[in-house]
Amino acid sequence: MACLFEVSPYDGGWCVKIGDTGEVLFFTGRRRAVAEAHDLARAWPTGAEVRIHGRSAEARSFEAWFEDPAPPLGAVAGA
């Protein structure tokens, strides 16, 4: 199962919630929070999904982005 990284607005800033660990990281800007979520997802050892929520409470839509983990160096392709 993929780890979920959720980017959401939070009291004057943005937060990234890491689903597998329960950690929450706080940022002043949306762009920095999104970049960090993508960086964490790329480095995650299993599959990962990034969800980016909008600031508007009425607009409950989000962007989704999936990252498959890279195979370890020297791994046989398709194995």
Side-chain angles (χ1 to χ4, degrees):
M1 187 168 163
C3 177
L4 177 61
F5 294 88
E6 271 190 288
V7 180
S8 309
Y10 180 82
D11 283 346
W14 291 82
C15 67
V16 175
K17 298 173 192 168
I18 304 170
D20 282 3
T21 65
E23 288 180 84
V24 180
L25 308 172
F26 298 96
F27 300 91
T28 55
R30 179 183 184 272
R31 186 176 294 179
R32 181 68 191 125
V34 169
E36 185 65 24
H38 283 265
D39 289 346
L40 288 168
R42 273 188 214 96
W44 208 253
T46 60
E49 177 184 351
V50 176
R51 286 189 188 168
I52 305 164
H53 297 273
R55 193 168 284 286
S56 171
E58 295 84 36
R60 298 196 182 258
S61 64
F62 60 87
E63 302 170 40
W65 178 79
F66 298 90
E67 179 69 33
D68 288 327
L73 293 176
V76 177

